Amino acid sequence: MSHSELVVFLLPSILSLLLLFILVQRKQARFNLPPGNMGWPFLGETIGYLKPYSATSVGEFMEQHISRYGKIYKSNLFGEPTIVSADAGLNRFILQNEGRLFECSYPKSIGGILGKWSMLVLVGDMHRDMRIISLNFLSHARLRTHLLKEVEKQTLLVLSSWKENCTFSAQDEAKKFTFNLMAKHIMSLDPGKPETEQLKKEYVTFMKGVVSAPLNLPGTPYRKALKSRSIILKFIEQKMEERIAKTKGGVENLEDDDLLGWVLKHSNLSTEQILDLILSLLFAGHETSSVSIALAIYFLQACPGAIQQLKEEHIQISRAKKRSGETELNWDDYKKMEFTQCVISETLRLGNVVRFLHRKALKDVRYKGYDIPCGWKVLPVISAVHLDSTLFDQPQHFNPWRWQVSSTALKP
């Protein structure tokens, strides 16, 4: 191909890209967008934004951008024009207007691995219906009568497996505890059984793919995760079929002590919807809880005062139960754990288990003089608010006492 022929061949593509660039620039000119940098074409600033950093910091990318542009800035992330918010007021505004001005908008790769019916990717009425089903199952009464007892049982099971003077990984033990709890609560699977252990093995492979680059190529964690997802869904579907067969075989009532039984009995969801719901809740419940427990242990080992106060609080509850002749923990005991709740709140603040959320503007929105165009991605960065020195005294310091009722967590 000659030089002139190459120019003729490429000219239409170049002109199309130039025209698209001009149209985008004109559209943006109509809005008073926050300052920022859109980065490279297509990639934008995604690589820099996703660069690993400590959970107790906002990372170099966020620090530089907030310093340069302020707490609200524009960028190009995950292939889309984006407004990034480290502003507490805007983050609250976004979450308060969920479904009206903003909606969930996670990358397509998340839907590809969690399923199109996962609550993480659903929006509108279907998301609301799935959420209602889950919340009805986890009612206040069920938390008191079922979940609390199961939490204590699974905790004692893990503790009994530790040998005196042994060394263990807090993260591994936290994951074991939360997986056993979720498997029992969702599908009545008993810990240690071969089917439970096999499911756990596939789930570990699945999780490695969820947090990896979405490259569906042989040997990649994402490809392995898709395979494990298929195995997990077949397992859940088999459990569904077994329960349905029991009802057809003469069993009067379908048990609803676990989530699978509850959904089969109290909803009209399709098989595919039930499978994605169960998988997404297993993912959500396991990951957030196990990371939070591991972080609490990590923070507490550096705070002897908090450990001592925790011990005193739980010893008092234990002594009161012995005097009354009770053995199992109940809801009243849980409500007495006031300092324990402070430790949990401070762990979630400093540990930032969920660092940011994916949202999309449903309409043109104006906030503090800035415009958020309809269709733009919006990322409320929760960790940036949690670690904001204008909101919290010594935000990098683990201080559970800041959450006590007699004081205030936030600066006045």
Side-chain angles (χ1 to χ4, degrees):
M1 184 180 290
S2 66
H3 179 72
S4 59
E5 289 175 329
L6 182 62
V7 171
V8 171
F9 178 75
L10 292 177
L11 188 58
S13 298
I14 295 172
L15 290 175
S16 297
L17 287 172
L18 183 61
L19 180 61
L20 179 62
F21 177 77
I22 293 172
L23 290 174
V24 170
Q25 290 295 104
R26 284 183 178 179
K27 184 177 180 181
Q28 291 186 17
R30 294 192 293 112
F31 297 105
N32 182 30
L33 296 172
N37 178 17
M38 303 305 283
W40 295 92
F42 305 112
L43 280 177
E45 297 185 295
T46 307
I47 295 175
Y49 183 79
L50 293 179
K51 187 178 179 180
Y53 57 91
S54 166
T56 58
S57 75
V58 295
E60 184 179 352
F61 180 94
M62 284 295 296
E63 287 178 355
Q64 291 179 350
H65 280 64
I66 292 173
S67 174
R68 186 178 302 170
Y69 305 119
K71 293 181 180 180
I72 304 173
Y73 61 88
K74 69 180 178 183
S75 184
N76 186 332
L77 300 173
F78 306 101
E80 300 181 59
T82 304
I83 301 296
V84 181
S85 170
D87 181 84
L90 178 53
N91 289 358
R92 189 181 303 111
F93 177 77
I94 292 168
L95 297 178
Q96 286 175 341
N97 287 279
E98 184 88 28
R100 191 171 70 87
L101 299 178
F102 304 93
E103 70 177 12
C104 287
S105 180
Y106 282 83
K108 291 181 179 179
S109 60
I110 296 294
I113 200 164
L114 287 181
K116 67 179 182 180
W117 297 106
S118 167
M119 281 201 291
L120 266 181
V121 297
L122 286 174
V123 297
D125 292 343
M126 198 63 231
H127 175 85
R128 183 201 62 205
D129 293 344
M130 288 283 202
R131 181 180 172 84
I132 289 173
I133 290 170
S134 304
L135 291 177
N136 284 343
F137 173 70
L138 291 172
S139 63
H140 191 65
R142 186 174 290 271
L143 287 173
R144 290 187 177 204
T145 59
H146 289 72
L147 185 59
L148 191 60
K149 290 182 179 180
E150 198 59 44
V151 167
E152 183 179 12
K153 179 181 176 182
Q154 297 299 332
T155 302
L156 293 174
L157 187 65
V158 171
L159 293 176
S160 66
S161 69
W162 297 350
K163 297 179 180 179
E164 190 173 354
N165 298 322
C166 71
T167 301
F168 61 87
S169 165
Q171 185 177 18
D172 290 344
E173 294 300 293
K175 286 185 175 182
K176 179 170 69 176
F177 162 73
T178 52
F179 182 86
N180 289 342
L181 179 63
M182 294 303 296
K184 182 69 175 179
H185 204 56
I186 288 176
M187 289 184 290
S188 297
L189 298 177
D190 294 319
K193 294 292 181 67
E195 63 175 5
T196 308
E197 294 305 307
Q198 181 60 35
L199 182 65
K200 186 190 298 183
K201 180 181 177 182
E202 296 297 341
Y203 182 78
V204 170
T205 303
F206 171 75
M207 272 310 307
K208 289 178 180 178
V210 172
V211 297
S212 69
L215 300 174
N216 191 6
L217 300 172
T220 62
Y222 189 80
R223 171 69 71 86
K224 292 178 181 177
L226 290 175
K227 183 179 179 181
S228 289
R229 165 188 159 82
S230 178
I231 295 172
I232 293 170
L233 293 184
K234 285 179 181 177
F235 177 87
I236 299 171
E237 189 170 8
Q238 181 183 346
K239 291 296 179 182
M240 287 175 55
E241 291 172 352
E242 289 174 1
R243 298 197 186 190
I244 293 171
K246 283 183 180 180
T247 60
K248 292 179 179 178
V251 179
E252 291 184 4
N253 293 315
L254 194 64
E255 293 182 6
D256 58 3
D257 285 342
D258 58 23
L259 179 61
L260 180 57
W262 173 271
V263 173
L264 288 171
K265 186 175 180 180
H266 298 281
S267 80
N268 295 316
L269 297 180
S270 68
T271 298
E272 185 182 7
Q273 289 171 330
I274 293 174
L275 294 177
D276 283 356
L277 173 65
I278 297 247
L279 181 62
S280 62
L281 288 179
L282 181 62
F283 160 73
H286 175 267
E287 288 309 301
T288 54
S289 300
S290 62
V291 172
S292 298
I293 292 169
L295 283 170
I297 295 171
Y298 172 77
F299 293 141
L300 283 168
Q301 56 85 29
C303 190
I307 293 176
Q308 183 60 34
Q309 190 162 335
L310 270 178
K311 284 182 177 179
E312 292 173 359
E313 181 171 86
H314 286 264
I315 287 171
Q316 287 179 5
I317 294 171
S318 177
R319 286 173 178 170
K321 293 194 75 63
K322 285 181 179 179
R323 286 195 296 267
S324 64
E326 298 177 1
T327 55
E328 293 184 346
L329 287 172
N330 56 43
W331 193 257
D332 290 334
D333 300 325
Y334 168 72
K335 297 301 289 184
K336 292 175 185 176
M337 299 177 189
E338 295 180 359
F339 186 70
T340 303
Q341 183 58 60
C342 292
V343 170
I344 293 170
S345 297
E346 184 68 349
T347 298
L348 295 177
R349 182 198 68 82
L350 184 58
N352 294 296
V353 176
V354 178
R355 299 186 185 186
F356 63 94
L357 304 172
H358 291 263
R359 295 295 184 267
K360 181 175 70 174
L362 295 174
K363 303 176 182 178
D364 291 340
V365 178
R366 171 158 288 216
Y367 184 85
K368 289 186 177 179
Y370 289 133
D371 291 315
I372 304 175
C374 175
W376 274 48
K377 202 173 188 71
V378 185
L379 297 186
V381 183
I382 310 300
S383 60
V385 176
H386 288 169
L387 301 172
D388 190 336
S389 60
T390 65
L391 299 175
F392 296 96
D393 287 316
Q394 295 181 293
Q396 267 77 27
H397 180 61
F398 181 75
N399 176 19
W401 293 275
R402 74 170 86 234
W403 298 97
Q404 289 182 328
V405 177
S406 58
S407 63
T408 177
L410 290 170
K411 285 184 177 182

